[in-house]
Amino acid sequence: QSVLTQPPSASGTPGQRVTISCSGSISNIGSETVNWYQQLPGTAPKLLIYSNNQRPSGVPDRFSGSKSGTSASLAISGLQSEDEADYYCATWDDRLNGFVFGTGTKVTVL
Amino acid sequence: QVTLRESGPALVKPTQTLTLTCTFSGFSLSTSGMCVSWIRQPPGKALEWLARIDWDDDKYYSTSLKTRLTISKDTSKNQVVLTMTNMDPVDTATYYCARTKVPAGGGWFDPWGQGILVTVSS
């Protein structure tokens, strides 16, 4: 089962800002950097944010990440229809000595 | 350009051993800091990390599955192999391999292979 907790769903109208939370513990988010993945329907996940707040080349600056203590957040500003997808946070867990994923959040554009 | 592709059986019977191969290009697993991980996703469910192998042959496994998993690499063939023993219908999932970068602890998966759906059924 997932070690990191995310809300199951989030939604907004085009142009709005949506925020997704990711809650962990001292052994994972509290100790390591957080990464975010976007999974469009029927496709493999894609790296969206790495090292808490870094965007890979090609990822629009509408996507931003942050981390504080044992929680992290992904923000999507200027929501667009193509942002409808599942979003997962992930990090390394020092106690488990392995990677852990969040429960996933489905973003719907109304 | 970095690409990864998973291959293996689409259907396995309960109690059988699953062997999956990840064939990659565009990077070398002998380069310091390079790793490959396996991740799976049951239909309609969340992602679950399974295992990681590093450039120096260090290996890491999911705590809950470590007794059933073995990961290995063939650097000359640019391949990583995952075996999972004693397959059960709950292991039905899409299995992904992904290049994993671990600059200073932690790390991230980029890019991912397209995935292979493995169904466990008699």
Side-chain angles (χ1 to χ4, degrees):
Chain A
Q1 62 275 19
S2 303
V3 170
L4 308 179
T5 302
Q6 299 178 232
S9 63
S11 62
T13 57
Q16 278 191 329
R17 176 184 170 93
V18 169
T19 302
I20 301 168
S21 62
C22 175
S23 178
S25 67
I26 191 69
S27 66
N28 42 66
I29 295 179
S31 306
E32 302 288 351
T33 58
V34 177
N35 312 297
W36 291 88
Y37 301 90
Q38 177 192 57
Q39 187 174 30
L40 297 170
T43 69
K46 168 192 147 184
L47 179 67
L48 196 64
I49 296 287
Y50 67 97
S51 293
N52 299 331
N53 54 19
Q54 301 300 301
R55 282 186 308 277
S57 174
V59 173
D61 60 6
R62 304 184 289 104
F63 295 93
S64 61
S66 63
K67 187 188 101 165
S68 178
T70 58
S71 294
S73 293
L74 173 72
I76 311 172
S77 58
L79 193 65
Q80 300 183 6
S81 58
E82 57 259 39
D83 299 332
E84 272 208 348
D86 293 324
Y87 293 83
Y88 294 91
C89 58
T91 187
W92 183 262
D93 190 298
D94 292 336
R95 180 178 62 85
L96 297 175
N97 209 28
F99 285 104
V100 290
F101 279 98
T103 48
T105 299
K106 182 175 185 62
V107 169
T108 302
V109 181
L110 303 171
Chain B
Q1 181 190 6
V2 174
T3 63
L4 304 96
R5 189 178 190 94
E6 306 85 353
S7 59
L11 179 66
V12 297
K13 290 180 167 50
T15 75
Q16 285 187 335
T17 293
L18 170 69
T19 299
L20 295 173
T21 300
C22 175
T23 303
F24 57 87
S25 63
F27 70 98
S28 172
L29 245 188
S30 58
T31 300
S32 178
M34 286 296 173
C35 320
V36 171
S37 291
W38 284 94
I39 300 124
R40 71 178 179 179
Q41 184 174 38
K45 296 190 176 180
L47 299 165
E48 177 184 22
W49 173 78
L50 301 176
R52 173 187 127 190
I53 189 165
D54 294 359
W55 74 99
D56 57 2
D57 212 37
D58 276 351
K59 298 162 187 173
Y60 303 85
Y61 296 100
S62 162
T63 303
S64 60
L65 292 168
K66 67 185 304 180
T67 60
R68 299 173 53 204
L69 296 173
T70 302
I71 191 169
S72 62
K73 64 182 173 71
D74 186 331
T75 305
S76 64
K77 291 184 179 179
N78 281 351
Q79 290 182 333
V80 170
V81 174
L82 180 78
T83 63
M84 180 180 290
T85 61
N86 195 24
M87 293 292 285
D88 183 273
V90 300
D91 296 313
T92 294
T94 297
Y95 288 75
Y96 297 99
C97 62
R99 184 181 66 170
T100 307
K101 286 193 169 182
V102 287
W108 56 85
F109 312 116
D110 181 49
W112 298 55
Q114 64 184 25
I116 181 170
L117 175 61
V118 177
T119 301
V120 185
S121 174
S122 54

